[in-house]
């Protein structure tokens, strides 16, 4: 079921979300949470969503990037749930992308982040998995995982002149046909 998206200013987006126990992963409530996150992400057109964005302060985020084309480079990640994720920076050289967020509607900002990361997390079965990613996917991972630690992308914009409304972004910065990070 689609849920309302919490927006910047809602305290739940500023909390450090709670770790999820392996017992809780087996509950119907958790299965329902994942389904609701997926429905909400699809409804609002995001490529990722974190539980605090539907008002639930638990450490889980979903990302789904299929046939996503960014700067001519195809990025693919089937629907993946990242539970209790931990992030390591493999290459701290920074790269920048224009980011948007369902919780900060109507705006876009240029954010620089480390270019390569390694994420260790549990899958919904409770097994540990590791994902190494660079490029655009590394940024998407960092954006979504930040939500589990009370951080929004706007916190990471170094040059506030690079924060724009979506319409002005389309008009002056990037042709609207390009898909963007939500
Ligand atoms: Zn976001």
């Amino acid at each position: 079921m689609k849920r309302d998206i919490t927006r910047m200013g809602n305290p739940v987006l500023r909390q450090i979300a709670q770790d999820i126990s392996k017992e809780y992963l087996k509950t119907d409530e958790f299965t329902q949470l994942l389904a609701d996150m997926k429905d909400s992400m699809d409804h609002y057109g995001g490529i990722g969503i974190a539980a605090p964005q539907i008002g639930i302060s638990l450490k889980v985020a979903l990302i789904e990037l299929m046939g996503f084309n960014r700067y001519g480079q195809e990025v693919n990640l089937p629907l993946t749930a990242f539970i209790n994720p931990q992030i390591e920076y493999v290459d701290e050289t920074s790269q920048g992308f224009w980011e948007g967020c369902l919780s900060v509607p109507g705006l876009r900002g240029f954010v620089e982040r480390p270019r390569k990361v390694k994420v260790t997390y549990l899958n919904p079965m409770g097994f540990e998995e590791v994902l190494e990613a660079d490029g655009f996917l590394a940024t998407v991972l960092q954006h979504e995982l930040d939500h589990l630690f009370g951080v929004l992308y706007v916190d990471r914009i170094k040059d506030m002149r690079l924060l724009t409304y979506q319409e002005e972004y389309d008009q002056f910065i990037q042709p609207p046909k390009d898909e963007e990070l939500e």
Side-chain angles (χ1 to χ4, degrees):
M1 189 183 69
K2 166 189 82 76
R3 305 243 214 130
D4 290 340
I5 300 290
T6 55
R7 302 202 307 176
M8 182 166 61
N10 188 319
V12 74
L13 292 171
R14 294 307 191 175
Q15 290 165 11
I16 295 177
Q18 285 189 356
D19 282 326
I20 299 174
S21 70
K22 285 194 178 177
E23 291 69 45
Y24 188 70
L25 295 181
K26 296 176 195 143
T27 63
D28 292 345
E29 198 175 270
F30 181 71
T31 306
Q32 190 60 52
L33 171 63
L34 289 183
D36 288 355
M37 286 171 66
K38 165 75 171 146
D39 290 347
S40 305
M41 179 170 80
D42 289 349
H43 180 82
Y44 296 105
I47 57 177
I49 194 168
Q53 292 185 277
I54 59 166
I56 306 293
S57 194
L58 289 174
K59 277 209 183 90
V60 55
L62 296 183
I63 295 175
E64 185 175 29
L65 271 173
M66 289 309 290
F68 193 90
N69 204 294
R70 196 63 173 79
Y71 301 139
Q73 183 196 358
E74 190 143 310
V75 187
N76 281 302
L77 182 72
L79 181 65
T80 306
F82 296 89
I83 297 157
N84 300 343
Q86 290 184 300
I87 197 159
E88 283 172 65
Y89 301 104
V90 179
D91 180 352
E92 300 214 31
T93 311
S94 73
Q95 61 177 5
F97 288 103
W98 286 90
E99 299 188 20
C101 182
L102 296 176
S103 296
V104 190
L107 293 175
R108 224 158 251 297
F110 188 78
V111 185
E112 289 177 53
R113 301 178 184 269
R115 68 169 292 277
K116 190 166 187 184
V117 297
K118 179 175 157 183
V119 178
T120 307
Y121 60 98
L122 296 181
N123 67 22
M125 309 290 287
F127 297 116
E128 191 174 287
E129 306 229 28
V130 178
L131 176 66
E132 238 183 70
D134 60 8
F136 186 60
L137 182 55
T139 274
V140 175
L141 280 162
Q142 289 172 77
H143 177 117
E144 295 308 330
L145 270 48
D146 266 354
H147 277 300
L148 307 179
F149 294 89
V151 177
L152 297 174
Y153 83 85
V154 289
D155 306 348
R156 299 200 183 275
I157 298 175
K158 288 195 188 115
D159 181 350
M160 288 307 284
R161 290 172 298 185
L162 299 178
L163 179 62
T164 79
Y165 289 103
Q166 177 68 52
E167 287 167 20
E168 279 69 15
Y169 174 84
D170 292 340
Q171 189 178 351
F172 299 111
I173 298 165
Q174 195 87 18
K177 61 178 162 48
D178 235 50
E179 292 182 83
E180 300 297 338
L181 170 60
E182 282 294 351

